[in-house]
Amino acid sequence: MRITTVGLDADDTLWHNETLFRLTQNRFRALMADVAEAEELDERLAAIERRNLSLYGYGVKGFTLSLIETAMELTGGEPSGRVIADILAAGREMLAHPVEPLPGVEHALAELSQAYRLVLITKGDLLHQEQKLAASGLGDLFTAVEIVSEKDASTYARVFGRHGTGAAAAAMCGNSLRSDVLPALQAGAYAAHIPYPLTWAHEMADPPSGHPRFAELASIAELPEWLATLG
Amino acid sequence: MRITTVGLDADDTLWHNETLFRLTQNRFRALMADVAEAEELDERLAAIERRNLSLYGYGVKGFTLSLIETAMELTGGEPSGRVIADILAAGREMLAHPVEPLPGVEHALAELSQAYRLVLITKGDLLHQEQKLAASGLGDLFTAVEIVSEKDASTYARVFGRHGTGAAAAAMCGNSLRSDVLPALQAGAYAAHIPYPLTWAHEMADPPSGHPRFAELASIAELPEWLATLG
């Protein structure tokens, strides 16, 4: 079946994201250096993020609240005002951070948009994701934008049904095996994995090696050629 | 022109919302009673919310962060750990709060869904709004749900174009003149205002009295009858 629609993840596929979270986490480690070792801090933060995920969802605001909660736990409930101020500032800086497309993204999307409907499919804070897309200058290349609270098979079935000609005629492309690749394959779509050097622990999964509709690509620049082989 | 599509706001139209924010704000006042008068605290919080709106958008997570920032400002940057812990807890409680439809909502929506496509159109945190809709038990009555970062005329034109037969054949119904009524009228739709006893300062506006496509209703129970008069 001919591919009509290409879904693209945003964070760490079109632009840097996890790097910013890691930089903020490094800053948080430095801030808390006198009360906790880096390893203990990372473990505590990861546990708190996991615990809060069902209430906060994905995105910078929930991350900021989880950082504050981690600071509370690590200081016996009495963090210094400087720590709180610095976490709030770090959160605001992440939200206001300039957005620059990753290498090759603009060229690949411009080429793909000639042949396919492009749909941006991303998790995170609604307003922040819209703002990043606007700041990236890539908005006009997409036929549709779907900011979703969770990426599972039913999400992909719904989105490719609404904005394309169904999952069987669609390919999803992103850096997360867990969110972009596995559920898209499960929905009946093709899926390409383009790894980003960093992956949030929550997004880890094993690659579906040998799956007939799956490809591992080194860069988004390889996406047009792979899609062309699908007929 | 016959009305085919009815847009409904969610917070304070289908279920309580502002009341929860006010209750949390009262709790915050009590928590800060030894450092600030209620009036000063309210003013400071409102100013901080306004300042953060373009970064945080609408919803509980941004509100929680703004409460922490207000506590910082009012204590010279050194709030007690108890204050921070209580704000974090209040935010989590708001996110986990049970959702109960306002009186008359279920009956009115069940009736309306027989004759019109119902579209939920709401601002706020994506995940939280989805969770509230699921908890309300009203989800099946809607043909579509649009959680948006801002409600302006172009939002209504887009949503009624996508899920209905255009704004001219649609009516929007909600408690906010600023977000539900005025921009929907501007987009060419009909609009009904159903006041809620409390309105967030940011949502205040003058009613468009005498506008031929506008109605002020005392309750959502009056909505079916008003829509029927539109032909």
Side-chain angles (χ1 to χ4, degrees):
Chain A
M1 181 184 274
R2 207 180 77 79
I3 300 292
T4 63
T5 312
V6 177
L8 289 138
D9 171 54
D11 290 338
D12 296 332
T13 299
L14 303 184
W15 50 67
H16 293 290
N17 179 63
E18 186 62 21
T19 302
L20 274 179
F21 279 80
R22 299 289 175 103
L23 286 171
T24 302
Q25 192 161 336
N26 288 349
R27 178 172 164 178
F28 182 55
R29 281 182 190 164
L31 194 64
M32 304 290 287
D34 53 342
V35 298
E37 300 289 331
E39 197 180 341
E40 185 198 355
L41 178 143
D42 290 352
E43 276 172 20
R44 198 70 76 97
L45 174 60
I48 287 172
E49 282 192 273
R50 231 178 359 256
R51 192 170 75 202
N52 287 335
L53 197 56
S54 66
L55 272 187
Y56 292 163
Y58 302 89
V60 170
K61 286 181 289 184
F63 180 64
T64 309
L65 290 166
S66 290
L67 287 176
I68 293 173
E69 196 174 329
T70 307
M72 292 287 291
E73 284 201 5
L74 291 172
T75 58
E78 291 292 348
S80 72
R82 194 177 66 87
V83 164
I84 302 296
D86 207 68
I87 293 171
L88 288 174
R92 273 194 300 267
E93 283 165 34
M94 287 178 81
L95 288 171
H97 195 273
V99 174
E100 204 182 332
L102 290 168
V105 163
E106 283 170 295
H107 187 267
L109 292 192
E111 182 178 348
L112 291 169
S113 69
Q114 308 289 318
Y116 309 98
R117 277 177 257 193
L118 303 189
V119 182
L120 187 80
I121 308 173
T122 178
K123 293 185 295 198
D125 287 324
L126 180 58
L127 176 68
H128 189 209
Q129 293 294 27
E130 289 182 356
Q131 287 173 336
K132 284 193 281 189
L133 181 61
S136 75
L138 300 170
D140 290 343
L141 297 169
F142 289 94
T143 338
V145 175
E146 287 279 347
I147 300 161
V148 298
S149 61
E150 196 54 77
K151 286 174 160 179
D152 52 26
S154 69
T155 306
Y156 288 110
R158 175 169 53 80
V159 170
F160 288 131
R162 180 186 294 174
H163 299 295
T165 53
M172 180 65 196
C173 170
N175 72 297
S176 168
L177 288 163
R178 185 175 188 276
S179 293
D180 301 318
V181 169
L182 298 179
L185 290 173
Q186 202 190 331
Y190 291 78
H193 182 222
I194 303 179
Y196 183 79
L198 296 170
T199 304
W200 184 30
H202 183 75
E203 295 291 351
M204 298 285 191
D206 291 327
S209 308
H211 191 292
R213 297 194 312 276
F214 169 69
E216 177 96 15
L217 306 180
S219 140
I220 197 167
E222 298 178 3
L223 187 57
E225 196 180 326
W226 176 64
L227 290 169
T229 67
L230 306 181
Chain B
M1 181 185 274
R2 207 179 78 80
I3 300 293
T4 62
T5 312
V6 176
L8 290 138
D9 171 55
D11 291 337
D12 296 331
T13 298
L14 302 184
W15 49 67
H16 292 291
N17 179 63
E18 186 62 21
T19 302
L20 274 179
F21 278 80
R22 297 290 174 102
L23 288 170
T24 302
Q25 192 161 336
N26 288 348
R27 177 171 165 178
F28 183 54
R29 281 183 192 164
L31 194 65
M32 303 290 288
D34 53 342
V35 296
E37 301 287 333
E39 197 181 340
E40 186 198 352
L41 177 144
D42 291 353
E43 277 172 18
R44 199 69 75 98
L45 173 60
I48 287 172
E49 282 192 273
R50 231 177 1 254
R51 192 169 73 202
N52 287 336
L53 196 56
S54 66
L55 272 186
Y56 291 164
Y58 302 89
V60 170
K61 285 180 290 183
F63 180 64
T64 309
L65 290 167
S66 289
L67 286 176
I68 294 173
E69 197 175 328
T70 307
M72 291 287 290
E73 284 200 5
L74 291 172
T75 59
E78 289 293 347
S80 73
R82 195 176 64 87
V83 164
I84 302 295
D86 207 69
I87 294 171
L88 288 175
R92 273 195 299 266
E93 284 165 33
M94 288 178 80
L95 289 171
H97 195 273
V99 173
E100 204 183 331
L102 290 167
V105 162
E106 283 170 296
H107 187 266
L109 291 192
E111 183 178 345
L112 291 169
S113 69
Q114 308 291 318
Y116 309 98
R117 275 178 257 194
L118 303 189
V119 183
L120 188 79
I121 308 173
T122 180
K123 292 184 297 198
D125 287 324
L126 180 59
L127 176 67
H128 189 211
Q129 293 294 27
E130 289 181 358
Q131 287 173 335
K132 285 193 281 188
L133 181 62
S136 75
L138 301 170
D140 289 344
L141 297 169
F142 289 95
T143 341
V145 175
E146 286 279 348
I147 299 162
V148 297
S149 60
E150 196 54 76
K151 286 175 159 177
D152 52 25
S154 69
T155 306
Y156 289 109
R158 175 168 52 81
V159 171
F160 289 131
R162 179 185 296 173
H163 299 295
T165 54
M172 179 66 196
C173 171
N175 73 298
S176 168
L177 288 163
R178 185 175 187 278
S179 293
D180 302 318
V181 170
L182 298 180
L185 290 174
Q186 201 190 332
Y190 291 78
H193 181 224
I194 303 179
Y196 183 80
L198 296 170
T199 305
W200 183 29
H202 183 74
E203 295 291 350
M204 299 284 193
D206 291 326
S209 309
H211 191 292
R213 297 194 311 276
F214 170 68
E216 177 96 16
L217 306 179
S219 142
I220 199 167
E222 299 179 3
L223 188 57
E225 197 181 325
W226 175 65
L227 291 168
T229 68
L230 304 181

